[in-house]
Amino acid sequence: MIKIEDLKKSFDENVILKGISLTVKAQEVVVLIGPSGAGKSTFLRCLNKLETINSGHVYINAQDITDPKVDINKIRQKIGMVFQDFNLFPHMTVLENIMISPIKVKKESRDTAYETASQLLTKVGLANKADAYPDDLSGGQKQRIAIARALAMKPDIMLFDEPTSALDPEMVGEVLTVMQNLAKEGMTMVVVTHEMGFAREVGSRIIFMDRGYIVEENSPQELFSHPQKERTKAFLSKILSSQNNKLPL
Amino acid sequence: MMDFRFDIIAEYSHFFLMGTLLTIGLSLAGVFLGSLMGLFIAIGELLENKFIAFIFKAYVGFFRGTPLFVQILIIYFGVIPALFGEANGIVSAIAALSMNAGAYIAETIRAGIQSINRGQSEASRSLGMTKIQSMRYIILPQAIRRILPALGNEFISLIKDSSLASTIATPELMYWAQSMNAQYYRVWESYVSVALIYLILTLTANFILKHFEKKVPVK
Ligand SMILES: Nc1ncnc2c1ncn2[C@@H]1O[C@H](COP(=O)(O)OP(=O)(O)OP(=O)(O)O)[C@@H](O)[C@H]1O
Ligand SMILES: [Mg+2]
C-alpha cells in the first residue's frame, strides 16, 4: 500500500531524513515514535508530498509520487491527513468543513456529500455540532471533526501527526477512541504519537525513529518489552516514566 | 472674509453636485477595479515562477514609487492617446486611479494572504485541493475578511486623490473649484467649499465603513 525506498530529505544543508525505507501493508497501523526533532513529522509529510522529496521513492498504491508526472492532487485524495493543531477552516461550519472537498475536489453532489458528512459526524459523536463553527468547539471536538473531514474523501490511508498533542489531557481519550475504531474497521494508518498506550494497544508495528533514521522496528509487544537498541531503551524509559502509562482506552 | 460671496457658491452648486457625483464615481470605480487588479497582482506576486512574479512586483514598485500625479499625466497624455487615438479625461482618471490603487491593494491582499496560517493551505492541499481551489475556497475568504478595513481606507484615499484628475479635464469636484476661482478670482469661496464637501464625503464614508465593519463577523 505504501512503499518507501531510501527516502532522503534535507532543509538547506540540514539533512533531516537520512535514508528511510519502510513498507506499510493494507490495514496495518504503523506507529512512529521518537524524540523531538527525529524527523517524524517531516517523514509523514513526505508521504503526501507536503514536503518535497530530495531522493528515494515513495510508492502509494504502486504509484511513485516522486515521479513529477504523477498528479499529486489525485494521490492526496486517497491519503487523509490529521494535524496536531487541527487546521479546521474557521470560516466554515463543521458541516461545510467536511463537505467542501468531496464537493469541490471529487465533484460529488451536495446531497451525497451531506449524506456522507452526516454519517461521519455520527461516527465521531458530533452529529449535534454540524452547524457550529470550529472556534466554538473544544480541542477534542475539533480533532474529531478534522478526522471526519479527512474521512469524507474516503481515503485508503490515514496519516496522523501527533493528533492528541495539542489537547487537554481529558480530551485525549475521545480522539484516540475514534482512531482505534478506525483501525478496527481496517483503515491503513501511519500515526506519529507519544501516546504509548495507544501504540501498544492499536499499533500493528512500532517504528522508533531518531536523527533521521529508523533505529528499530518491531511489534508493540517486542519493542516495548525487549527493545534491542540502546537509544530505543533510553527513549522508552524516559517517555514511559513521564507518561506513567495513562491509557484512557 | 467679510464679503464672503455665497451667491457665487449658489451659482456653482449645480456644478459642485455634478462634481461630487463624479468624484464618488471615480473613487468607486477606482476601488472596485483596483481591488480586481490588486487580487490579480497579489496572486501574480505569489507565483512560484520567479520571472512572472518579478513583473508583478515591478508593477507594484513603479506605481507605489512614483507620484500619482505623474502617473495620471503619463496615462492621459501618453497611454490613452496611444491606445485609443485621442485623449479622454474620465477614462484616463479611472485607469490611473485603478492602476495606482491596484498596486496598493495588491500589497494589502498579499499581506492578507500571507497572514493566513500555513496549516490552512496544507490542510486543504492534503484533501486533494489544487492550489487554485485552496486559494479560492480556503485562503481568500479568510484573507478578504482581514483586508476589508484596508479596502475601506483605500476608498477614502481615492476620494481625496481623485482631485488630481482635475488637471486632466475631468469635471470632478476639484475641477469646478478651479473653474470657479478662474472665473471670479475668489480663492476662499472656491476651495473652502470643496474642502468642506471632501470632508463630508470622507467622514461619511468612514462612518459607513465603520458601521459595516462591525456587522461583518470576523469568522
Ligand atoms: N520547514 C522547515 N525548514 C527547516 N527546517 C525544518 C523544517 N521543518 C522541520 N525542520 C527541522 O527538521 C527537524 C525535524 O523536524 P520534525 O518536525 O520532522 O521532527 P519531529 O520528529 O516531528 O519532532 P517533534 O516531536 O518535535 O514534532 C527539526 O530539526 C526541524 O527544525
Ligand atoms: Mg512533529
Side-chain angles (χ1 to χ4, degrees):
Chain A
M1 181 137 271
I2 311 177
K3 189 162 174 229
I4 300 132
E5 285 174 357
D6 200 25
L7 167 62
K8 291 189 179 132
K9 166 72 187 170
S10 46
F11 292 109
D12 303 322
E13 295 97 68
N14 286 334
V15 187
I16 305 299
L17 301 177
K18 299 169 185 163
I20 302 230
S21 299
L22 179 70
T23 303
V24 180
K25 295 194 283 288
Q27 312 213 330
E28 250 192 321
V29 177
V30 170
V31 178
L32 282 172
I33 61 174
S36 182
K40 307 180 297 293
S41 299
T42 306
F43 173 67
L44 209 61
R45 293 158 56 84
C46 284
L47 301 187
N48 65 353
K49 248 182 156 181
L50 279 185
E51 301 291 355
T52 54
I53 295 164
N54 292 123
S55 74
H57 296 277
V58 175
Y59 299 92
I60 304 288
N61 294 331
Q63 269 188 300
D64 186 355
I65 65 169
T66 60
D67 179 350
K69 286 195 287 284
V70 167
D71 179 2
I72 191 63
N73 295 320
K74 271 261 166 334
I75 307 272
R76 283 179 181 148
Q77 293 177 33
K78 290 280 140 205
I79 311 178
M81 185 160 206
V82 175
F83 302 84
Q84 181 171 346
D85 40 9
F86 329 122
N87 293 331
L88 292 180
F89 307 134
H91 60 302
M92 296 178 175
T93 64
V94 161
L95 203 55
E96 289 165 343
N97 263 276
I98 301 176
M99 288 166 62
I100 178 93
S101 299
I103 291 175
K104 299 302 178 189
V105 177
K106 279 187 154 179
K107 314 290 180 206
E108 281 183 15
S109 73
R110 276 199 85 81
D111 290 344
T112 314
Y114 179 80
E115 192 73 21
T116 313
S118 304
Q119 282 169 10
L120 286 170
L121 278 174
T122 307
K123 181 168 171 167
V124 300
L126 290 169
N128 57 336
K129 294 291 183 191
D131 297 319
Y133 279 91
D135 287 350
D136 301 326
L137 303 177
S138 72
Q141 292 172 332
K142 280 185 198 163
Q143 197 59 297
R144 284 186 280 157
I145 297 300
I147 294 172
R149 178 178 69 178
L151 291 175
M153 293 299 284
K154 307 201 170 68
D156 298 334
I157 300 162
M158 285 285 284
L159 309 176
F160 294 84
D161 191 2
E162 300 198 34
T164 58
S165 292
L167 300 180
D168 292 336
E170 69 271 21
M171 292 171 186
V172 170
E174 63 195 55
V175 172
L176 292 183
T177 306
V178 168
M179 291 169 60
Q180 188 173 32
N181 290 337
L182 206 53
K184 275 191 201 138
E185 289 167 19
M187 177 62 77
T188 310
M189 294 163 55
V190 181
V191 184
V192 176
T193 186
H194 293 299
E195 296 293 333
M196 294 302 142
F198 176 88
R200 193 195 302 260
E201 194 91 0
V202 183
S204 344
R205 202 146 40 106
I206 313 292
I207 313 282
F208 174 64
M209 258 183 86
D210 192 14
R211 290 176 227 170
Y213 293 105
I214 292 180
V215 176
E216 184 167 353
E217 63 172 286
N218 218 327
S219 68
Q221 294 76 16
E222 280 303 307
L223 193 117
F224 285 118
S225 330
H226 310 291
Q228 302 297 310
K229 301 275 173 34
E230 278 315 311
R231 271 196 271 168
T232 318
K233 285 179 196 164
F235 174 77
L236 285 178
S237 70
K238 210 164 109 200
I239 196 154
L240 289 176
S241 67
S242 77
Q243 275 201 350
N244 211 359
N245 223 356
K246 53 170 177 19
L247 178 62
L249 289 170
Chain B
M1 279 306 280
M2 296 314 291
D3 58 341
F4 198 85
R5 289 191 50 191
F6 288 101
D7 60 315
I8 62 168
I9 295 179
E11 185 194 323
Y12 260 80
S13 61
H14 171 71
F15 295 129
F16 284 163
L17 178 64
M18 301 302 287
T20 302
L21 290 179
L22 185 55
T23 290
I24 295 173
L26 291 177
S27 309
L28 282 176
V31 80
F32 178 72
L33 297 173
S35 298
L36 291 183
M37 291 184 60
L39 180 60
F40 184 71
I41 297 164
I43 290 174
E45 281 185 286
L46 294 172
L47 285 181
E48 269 160 31
N49 185 323
K50 291 277 177 287
F51 179 68
I52 297 177
F54 172 78
I55 292 176
F56 285 104
K57 287 197 175 107
Y59 174 95
V60 171
F62 176 80
F63 278 90
R64 296 194 351 144
T66 56
L68 173 59
F69 189 33
V70 176
Q71 295 160 18
I72 288 176
L73 296 182
I74 290 176
I75 288 169
Y76 178 68
F77 289 112
V79 179
I80 296 292
L83 289 177
F84 301 106
E86 58 180 349
N88 183 316
I90 293 187
V91 170
S92 303
I94 290 177
L97 291 172
S98 309
M99 290 173 83
N100 182 273
Y104 283 92
I105 292 173
E107 288 298 282
T108 310
I109 294 181
R110 191 168 62 104
I113 289 173
Q114 286 174 332
S115 77
I116 304 299
N117 188 324
R118 220 176 103 209
Q120 292 288 306
S121 85
E122 288 182 351
S124 50
R125 298 303 304 278
S126 78
L127 289 162
M129 285 192 203
T130 62
K131 258 188 190 162
I132 294 171
Q133 287 172 328
S134 164
M135 198 43 103
R136 161 92 179 70
Y137 300 114
I138 308 302
I139 308 300
L140 278 181
Q142 296 182 59
I144 300 268
R145 283 174 169 89
R146 290 191 191 176
I147 64 183
L148 233 39
L151 285 187
N153 290 336
E154 188 59 33
F155 175 62
I156 290 172
S157 296
L158 278 168
I159 292 176
K160 297 179 286 180
D161 293 347
S162 61
S163 60
L164 289 170
S166 60
T167 59
I168 54 167
T170 304
E172 44 67 71
L173 194 48
M174 189 64 192
Y175 175 91
W176 292 113
Q178 281 175 335
S179 66
M180 183 185 197
N181 186 40
Q183 187 178 348
Y184 292 105
Y185 300 105
R186 304 292 296 189
V187 174
W188 289 94
E189 284 81 349
S190 313
Y191 295 127
V192 171
S193 305
V194 295
L196 267 178
I197 298 175
Y198 276 116
L199 192 58
I200 291 168
L201 287 181
T202 53
L203 288 177
T204 311
N206 196 42
F207 178 80
I208 295 172
L209 291 167
K210 283 276 152 359
H211 185 73
F212 187 61
E213 259 171 48
K214 269 187 221 134
K215 293 236 158 138
V216 178
V218 197
K219 268 205 186 97

